[in-house]
Amino acid sequence: MRLEKCWFCSSTVYPGHGIQFVRNDAKIFRFCRSKCHKNFKMKRNPRKVKWTKAYRRVHGKDMTQDATFEFERKRNRPERYDRHVAEETLKAIKKIDKVRVDREARHHEKRMKGKKAQVQKEAAKELEQSIHMVKAPAVLQKEPSLTLPKVYQKQTEDRMVE
Amino acid sequence: MVQYNFKKITVVPTGKDFIDIILSRTQRQTPTVVHKGYAISRIRQFYMRKVKYTQQNFHDKLSTIIEEFPRLDDIHPFYGDLLHVLYNKDHYKLALGQINTARNLIGKIAKDYVKLLKYGDSLYRCKSLKVAALGRMCTVIKRVGPSLAYLEQIRQHMARLPSIDPNTRTILICGYPNVGKSSFINKITRADVDVQPYAFTTKSLFVGHTDYKYLRYQVIDTPGILDRPFEDRNIIEMCSITALAHLRASVLFFLDISGSCGYSVAQQAALFHSIKSLFMNKPLIIVCNKTDLQALEGISEDDMKLVMEMKAEAMKTLIGQGGEPTNDEGVLLTMSTLTEEGVIAVKNAACERLLDQRVELKMKSKKLNDCLNRFHVAMPKPRDQKERPPCIPEAVLEAKAKKAEQAAEKQKKLERDLENENGGAGVYSASLRKHYILANDEWKEDIMPEILDGHNVYDFVDPDILQRLEELEREEGMHQEHEADDFEMDGAELTPEEQEALAEIRKKKRLIVQQHRIKKSTAESRPTVPRKFDKDKQFTSERMGRQLSTLGLDPTLAINRARSKSRGRKRERSIDKGNQNGTDDMDVDGDQPNKKLRLRSRSLSRSRSRSKSRPPYEVLPGEGLKDSAQKKKAIKLAEKSHNKRNKDARKGEADRVIPTLRPKHLFSGKRSTGKTDRR
């Protein structure tokens, strides 16, 4: 029993899920769900479809090369069973996972580094330019701060009584 | 061993039939349509094809005939002679030769006419050439007709010849006619030869098969031979003579002691002596038949003497073979086919003699030396009486003994037995891990997980995984240190009030965009109504006031201005009525004779109209209403009493107009099927 990778979105296909398509040249395409399958049938390139891992890797959104990926390699030769090796492997898998997640997070941080400053700058600019939509220019002249004006309250009650 | 089977020769048709067959085939298998309008090369090709096709067919058929009939020189001399005896070698060869010549002639004709056809210049000429060619070929065959008929007869006869294998073990039966040869063969084989009281019942060779010592023997029954000079013999006798001459067989010479065949012993003895040359190198047995009528002991002296002479001759053949001279019982035998007494003995004797001779011959031949060593195990001559048994080492002996006792006491427990003990095939499942070779036997029943946290465990298995993991963690530690140094500078942040303002701005922008989108999408289906007729009351002065105040401005001025500009018709009229007699203080110009001028002045005077607009519920003195509530009610009633015309470009009640109540196309016309009750 093996967990496979979906050809389109690169998510894991668990046993009992998905569809496998074998082409005439004996290449096997595995899909995790009908969404990927249908996209494949439409001949879409996963590198151009935003939500796939392939796109994210190609466009630098996710980590591509790392030492943690080297640990997971499909071996074709069966190894003789050794309890100690099995134990170590199981423990190691968890640690490797943690490391990998940390590294991915770091990659993400690096990517988003300048975002905050940029957002603030944009906000300030927008505020300055469009303040006229919420504050009349006359009021702005009197009060040059970029805040909401005080809502004008009419004192008409006495007039009405008259 | 080639089977001499002449049954497979194809039928030879007669001359006429032959021609018919070939010509009809030509007509069927070649194209039939040609017109004189075709290209000349096409016409020529057409006729050439026909000529060639006919020639080819003749050639094929004649070739098969020539090849299938056996060549008398190539087959076993027995058959060669037999066929010669039956059909005359010369005639046979001549017939076949004629067929051959016919074939060649046809080939030549075809070649010549094809050459001529190449230069045929019209359809008629080509056609004539073709007709001539085919005609000549057919004439050739017609001339050869008698040969064909002869060959057909031969073929039919040959097919009925008995299939005698000249190389296998054969027993030949010969003698005078009517002595009991056919009865004998009927007795020992399954053959069913005619047995009749008249002579020459058997007119040709007959074959039967019998078994002796697990071997099969051919028994050949011949027609009777008469004592005549060689040249005078007829075909039937010649058959038997041929058989005698060519087949390597043991010969049973039949003697009728009783003389009931019509010939005396003396005559039979004379025959024997005349053909004894044919018995050279063949095991000969003299069989005295019909002993039930006359026993061998009871014959006359002269006859006995003759019989003894014959026996002597037979003995000579025996000695000549190198057999034991003492055994003379196998030479002269008596039997009676009627009582079946001694029949088997005769057969056995014949078979035995033949077998001996054949074996001896084989022994003498060179071929046997090759397989002789397979029959013979050479044993060295013992030089003394000492026993020398084979030497087996002690260890081997012990091992053998142990194995023997082990096998005796306990048999190896099979998996099958184990399965049967534990409940049978459906219940017990064999433990496949029993024979695993692992470093530690305790691990045999270990179950290793295949999947962990979305990974395949087998992909990670590596003997030096720990080492690599350590390196990885070291790297990770280093990275984390570096990361601590990095710090992001926080830029200038907006204050909460500014943020509020920004949120408000964004909200407004969103609303504008949303509304624009709605307007855009419904533009085609929405009626374009001018703003003064807005149904949803979007453009009220109150709303404007509210919006302005949220912007921070004082809206009263704007509202007043807006109110003063908007004048309903009613108010206009009421104002006008009030001005009928005198001028109002608001009216500047008094009487205006012209309606147009009046209207114009009204619009001009609008700007100088009421400086303050009055709310509608305000009770004016002189109206006759108690208070504003009453006024409101009055206004409401007034509005309800009349149908306010809707000016938002929608279809109202008044617009439901039916231009024609009973249009002709709906109320006329017949239906193709059915009644016209409903319209």
Side-chain angles (χ1 to χ4, degrees), chain B residues 597-637:
Chain B
L597 284 171
R598 241 189 285 148
L599 281 166
R600 207 163 155 262
S601 76
R602 211 174 287 138
S603 64
L604 281 173
S605 62
R606 212 180 282 151
S607 51
R608 275 173 259 164
S609 61
R610 286 168 273 153
S611 56
K612 203 163 77 175
S613 63
R614 249 175 242 154
Y617 49 78
E618 192 180 313
V619 175
L620 291 169
E623 272 186 347
L625 294 161
K626 196 166 53 168
D627 53 15
S628 64
Q630 205 183 43
K631 184 162 185 193
K632 273 194 203 157
K633 198 167 176 195
I635 291 170
K636 215 180 195 176
L637 283 171

Side-chain angles (χ1 to χ4, degrees), chain A residues 1-5 12 14-15 67-68 70-75 79-86 88-97 99-100 102-103 106 109 112-114 116-117 120 122-124 126-127 130-136 138-139 146-152 154 156 160, chain B residues 436-439 442-444 446-463 465-466 468-469 472-473 475-476 479-480 483 486 488-495 497-502 504-506 508-509 512 546 548-556 559 615 617:
Chain A
M1 205 158 35
R2 262 192 78 85
L3 302 179
E4 305 287 353
K5 291 273 174 225
T12 51
Y14 276 83
T68 44
E70 302 299 314
F71 279 89
E72 184 165 9
R73 202 181 67 229
K74 181 166 183 205
R75 281 150 239 266
E79 298 271 339
R80 203 176 282 278
Y81 177 72
D82 192 323
R83 194 185 271 183
H84 304 303
V85 171
E88 287 166 17
T89 313
L90 292 171
K91 288 189 197 144
I93 287 176
K94 291 217 176 254
K95 290 193 193 148
I96 292 166
D97 254 354
V99 166
R100 186 179 48 105
D102 287 340
R103 285 194 185 182
R106 222 177 297 132
E109 261 184 64
M112 298 293 164
K113 220 168 24 171
K116 213 166 165 188
Q120 281 169 358
E122 274 176 18
E126 191 178 351
L127 184 61
S130 314
I131 191 66
H132 63 90
M133 292 181 84
V134 287
K135 196 169 187 181
V139 183
L146 296 169
T147 54
L148 285 173
K150 272 213 245 333
V151 178
Y152 186 89
K154 250 187 354 180
T156 53
M160 274 302 300
Chain B
Y436 277 8
I437 306 166
L438 297 174
E442 288 175 355
W443 300 344
K444 274 189 189 169
D446 263 4
I447 303 171
M448 179 161 150
E450 297 176 37
I451 296 172
L452 180 67
D453 283 351
H455 299 287
N456 292 308
V457 174
Y458 293 137
D459 291 346
F460 282 84
V461 158
D462 199 351
I465 194 168
L466 276 185
R468 290 166 67 193
L469 184 62
L472 187 74
E473 301 214 303
E475 255 185 69
E476 194 61 19
H479 278 308
Q480 279 189 349
E483 202 192 74
D486 281 332
E488 225 180 85
M489 292 304 297
D490 223 0
E493 255 202 45
L494 296 175
T495 61
E497 296 93 11
E498 286 183 339
Q499 278 178 5
E500 234 185 277
L502 187 60
E504 197 56 43
I505 288 169
R506 286 190 173 152
K508 276 217 162 150
K509 278 191 181 169
I512 289 170
R546 269 205 303 274
L548 285 174
S549 44
T550 49
L551 278 174
L553 297 168
D554 178 11
T556 44
I559 290 175
Y617 49 78

Side-chain angles (χ1 to χ4, degrees), chain B residues 213 217 283 318 321 323-324 327 349-363:
Chain B
K213 279 193 183 168
Y217 287 77
L318 182 62
Q321 279 176 9
E324 293 100 38
N327 186 11
C351 296
E352 192 69 44
R353 285 278 295 279
L354 181 64
L355 196 61
D356 287 339
Q357 192 214 24
R358 280 173 77 100
V359 165
E360 222 182 283
L361 225 62
K362 281 213 175 112
M363 296 279 247

Side-chain angles (χ1 to χ4, degrees), chain B residues 58-288:
Chain B
F58 272 127
H59 182 92
D60 289 340
K61 280 217 178 296
L62 293 173
S63 304
T64 47
I65 294 172
I66 292 167
E67 261 141 45
E68 283 188 349
F69 274 90
R71 261 186 282 204
L72 296 181
D73 307 320
D74 287 347
I75 52 180
H76 194 271
F78 164 64
Y79 272 106
D81 258 356
L82 190 65
L83 292 179
H84 172 57
V85 159
L86 292 169
Y87 315 125
N88 197 352
K89 192 157 57 173
D90 299 326
H91 283 170
Y92 180 82
K93 277 192 182 168
L94 257 175
L96 285 179
Q98 278 196 351
I99 303 284
N100 196 23
T101 356
R103 185 174 64 168
N104 292 341
L105 279 175
I106 289 176
K108 275 209 203 101
I109 293 169
K111 220 178 355 185
D112 290 338
Y113 274 89
V114 162
K115 268 199 220 145
L116 286 175
L117 267 167
K118 269 202 268 192
Y119 302 105
D121 48 3
S122 75
L123 178 120
Y124 178 72
R125 192 161 302 209
C126 290
K127 185 170 179 182
S128 321
L129 283 170
K130 164 224 162 204
V131 166
L134 294 196
R136 278 177 71 175
M137 287 188 220
C138 296
T139 330
V140 168
I141 296 293
K142 231 183 344 185
R143 276 206 317 258
V144 144
S147 297
L148 289 171
Y150 174 70
L151 282 172
E152 173 60 19
Q153 292 218 337
I154 288 182
R155 184 198 74 86
Q156 284 181 357
H157 196 272
M158 270 209 280
R160 295 203 184 88
L161 286 179
S163 54
I164 299 172
D165 190 347
N167 297 323
T168 184
R169 300 161 286 273
T170 325
I171 297 175
L172 216 49
I173 309 173
C174 61
Y176 250 87
N178 250 356
V179 294
K181 303 189 288 295
S182 306
S183 329
F184 177 67
I185 196 176
N186 282 345
K187 283 281 180 290
I188 56 168
T189 70
R190 281 198 66 193
D192 205 6
V193 190
D194 244 359
V195 175
Q196 297 286 349
Y198 61 87
F200 289 102
T201 318
T202 312
K203 293 188 205 46
S204 63
L205 300 172
F206 282 94
V207 189
H209 295 271
T210 182
D211 295 317
Y212 178 73
K213 279 193 183 168
Y214 309 110
L215 291 169
R216 196 136 258 228
Y217 287 77
Q218 274 181 139
V219 187
I220 302 183
D221 181 25
T222 63
I225 313 170
L226 295 170
D227 191 11
R228 283 202 282 205
F230 191 75
E231 300 77 25
D232 293 346
R233 294 201 195 268
N234 58 24
I235 296 179
I236 302 174
E237 294 170 317
M238 284 307 290
C239 279
S240 22
I241 301 290
T242 318
L244 273 173
H246 291 284
L247 293 175
R248 215 169 43 122
S250 78
V251 182
L252 293 171
F253 187 84
F254 268 57
L255 205 52
D256 185 358
I257 305 180
S258 65
S260 58
C261 62
Y263 305 97
S264 67
V265 179
Q267 286 172 308
Q268 292 178 44
L271 170 67
F272 177 83
H273 289 296
S274 62
I275 60 172
K276 67 181 174 207
S277 56
L278 290 171
F279 300 150
M280 202 91 73
N281 291 336
K282 297 192 177 59
L284 178 62
I285 296 176
I286 300 171
V287 181
C288 304

Side-chain angles (χ1 to χ4, degrees), chain B residues 630-646:
Chain B
Q630 205 183 43
K631 184 162 185 193
K632 273 194 203 157
K633 198 167 176 195
I635 291 170
K636 215 180 195 176
L637 283 171
E639 282 184 349
K640 268 196 185 165
S641 66
H642 65 88
N643 269 350
K644 202 163 173 192
R645 185 173 154 224
N646 84 35

